[in-house]
Amino acid sequence: MKQFITFLLLNFLLLPLNTFSSNQEIDSLKYILSNSHEIEVRVKTYLKLSKVYQNINIDSSTYLVKQAMILAEQIDSEEDIAEAHACFGDIATRQDSLIKAINEYEYTIDYYRKTNNKGGLQGILVVYGNLFTVTSNYSEAMKAYLEVLKLSQENNKLEKIAIIYNNIGYLYFQQNNFSQALENYTKALSLFEGIKDTLNIAVSLGNVGSVYLRYNDFITARQYYMDSYNLYDLIGFDIGKSQTLVKLSDLHLINNNTDSAIYYNQKSLDLNKKNNPEYRGPGSIELVNINIKFADIYLKRKEWNKAIDYSRISYRLA
């Protein structure tokens, strides 16, 4: 679940940067709809406009893709019908209707396979695998990821290969197969270092640290966490910093060092308050996790009232 949430958070962070260009794109696409009478052009424009509106108004996005589907079916355009199903899948994912999303994506995946669209297939299979990961269907997630890995290796797409190694590592981690998790996380880290992808190097360092934490190798785990935190700090990625501070809090809690656990969790909370003072949007997910962690810490300290208070806060934020 954490990977999926992080994916949503990353997309949310990009929205303010893209607002101006999105407005320009919307105006341009609306102009095309107003002036074009060619059905094929209108279908593709509805699809593009629906994708833009996914970040703005999900109801408008749904309406637009429905219009695209009606027209695509009129002209029997298999390609546009498949793209419309993918849009419906994206919308269902955002609405947390994950089974519906999987069914929508399957139509598009079948079309990409039939037409040998390897680029489209790679992209949608990653999302497809992520949905199975979120629903704890690890065997289906693994099938999807391995197919993407094979396609990416054929084209030597190093970034995609590294991402899939991280995803496969996560599957093994969730199933307590820590040796395989470490092997795949390490492969991902090496590839990201090779292409100098700082953000994903930081993510991978944190992943490796979490494996060592499960091995009770606290010194090594802490070093990986600190290296991850420092990279996040270098690039100014506060969500990554916050998540790593919670991991450091976990590490100290496992060692029964509740004072240090409180210290790192409080640093994470302060960072979130600075960036999300109104406790709104996807950032509130992190605030829920932080307050749950405080409840765990105070339960361990047998400070029942504080544990109850933080549990209530997390419930209210959720």
Side-chain angles (χ1 to χ4, degrees):
M1 181 67 77
K2 287 182 180 178
Q3 278 191 339
F4 185 68
I5 289 171
T6 301
F7 167 78
L8 295 180
L9 289 171
L10 283 167
N11 280 279
F12 177 78
L13 284 173
L14 293 173
L15 294 184
L17 300 176
N18 294 331
T19 299
F20 180 70
S21 60
S22 292
N23 288 337
Q24 284 187 318
E25 186 177 8
I26 288 170
D27 291 341
S28 175
L29 292 170
K30 284 183 175 178
Y31 179 83
I32 293 170
L33 281 176
S34 299
N35 291 276
S36 177
H37 300 290
E38 294 182 32
I39 294 181
E40 188 172 348
V41 172
R42 293 178 66 81
V43 171
K44 295 188 184 303
T45 305
Y46 273 126
L47 287 171
K48 289 178 182 177
L49 201 50
S50 174
K51 290 175 183 177
V52 175
Y53 267 99
Q54 285 177 20
N55 292 328
I56 301 168
N57 186 314
I58 205 71
D59 291 332
S60 295
S61 179
T62 303
Y63 169 79
L64 291 162
V65 72
K66 283 181 178 178
Q67 297 307 304
M69 181 67 88
I70 290 169
L71 294 178
E73 288 176 340
Q74 281 181 16
I75 61 174
D76 196 26
S77 171
E78 283 190 86
E79 178 184 357
D80 291 324
I81 290 170
E83 293 300 329
H85 278 289
C87 281
F88 279 124
D90 294 341
I91 291 167
T93 299
R94 289 172 180 271
Q95 295 175 322
D96 209 26
S97 300
L98 304 187
I99 302 303
K100 182 179 186 321
I102 287 170
N103 292 334
E104 295 288 355
Y105 287 137
E106 283 175 349
Y107 186 101
T108 310
I109 288 168
D110 287 342
Y111 175 77
Y112 284 157
R113 286 199 177 113
K114 184 172 73 173
T115 57
N116 200 32
N117 184 344
K118 292 184 178 181
L121 187 59
Q122 286 180 66
I124 201 165
L125 277 173
V126 174
V127 179
Y128 188 64
N130 290 347
L131 291 175
F132 281 120
T133 299
V134 172
T135 54
S136 300
N137 189 339
Y138 299 133
S139 60
E140 289 300 318
M142 184 67 81
K143 287 179 187 176
Y145 292 152
L146 288 176
E147 186 173 354
V148 179
L149 182 62
K150 182 182 177 185
L151 289 168
S152 300
Q153 287 172 332
E154 288 174 359
N155 298 314
N156 200 33
K157 300 289 187 181
L158 297 182
E159 183 179 11
K160 288 184 179 178
I161 293 169
I163 289 169
I164 294 304
Y165 277 137
N166 256 344
N167 288 3
I168 291 173
Y170 180 79
L171 294 182
Y172 282 122
F173 186 87
Q174 291 300 107
Q175 297 173 88
N176 297 324
N177 187 338
F178 300 123
S179 62
Q180 284 297 312
L182 183 60
E183 180 180 331
N184 281 277
Y185 283 152
T186 303
K187 286 179 180 178
L189 176 58
S190 178
L191 286 169
F192 284 131
E193 287 175 338
I195 60 177
K196 297 180 172 27
D197 185 337
T198 305
L199 174 59
N200 278 307
I201 291 170
V203 171
S204 299
L205 286 168
N207 289 341
V208 172
S210 293
V211 175
Y212 280 108
L213 183 62
R214 290 300 187 96
Y215 282 148
N216 293 323
D217 185 345
F218 303 118
I219 294 173
T220 304
R222 188 179 189 283
Q223 186 59 59
Y224 273 102
Y225 285 156
M226 290 307 302
D227 289 345
S228 175
Y229 179 89
N230 290 334
L231 279 182
Y232 284 133
D233 190 41
L234 179 68
I235 61 176
F237 190 63
D238 284 350
I239 286 179
K241 287 167 63 177
S242 174
Q243 291 174 343
T244 306
L245 288 166
V246 173
K247 290 177 181 179
L248 286 163
S249 179
D250 273 334
L251 185 151
H252 289 287
L253 184 59
I254 291 170
N255 279 291
N256 295 312
N257 186 344
T258 55
D259 288 339
S260 291
I262 290 171
Y263 169 78
Y264 283 110
N265 214 47
Q266 185 63 49
K267 283 189 69 174
S268 181
L269 181 61
D270 292 342
L271 190 60
N272 272 271
K273 283 182 176 179
K274 182 186 77 172
N275 292 315
N276 189 20
E278 296 183 359
Y279 284 26
R280 292 179 180 175
S284 64
I285 296 168
E286 282 302 304
L287 291 168
V288 170
N289 292 334
I290 292 165
N291 282 284
I292 289 172
K293 183 58 56 184
F294 270 128
D296 290 341
I297 294 167
Y298 284 111
L299 276 174
K300 196 151 196 173
R301 288 164 72 108
K302 298 184 179 179
E303 296 183 33
W304 314 122
N305 289 336
K306 285 187 177 180
I308 291 169
D309 288 343
Y310 279 109
S311 295
R312 285 173 175 165
I313 292 171
S314 63
Y315 179 79
R316 187 176 72 248
L317 289 172

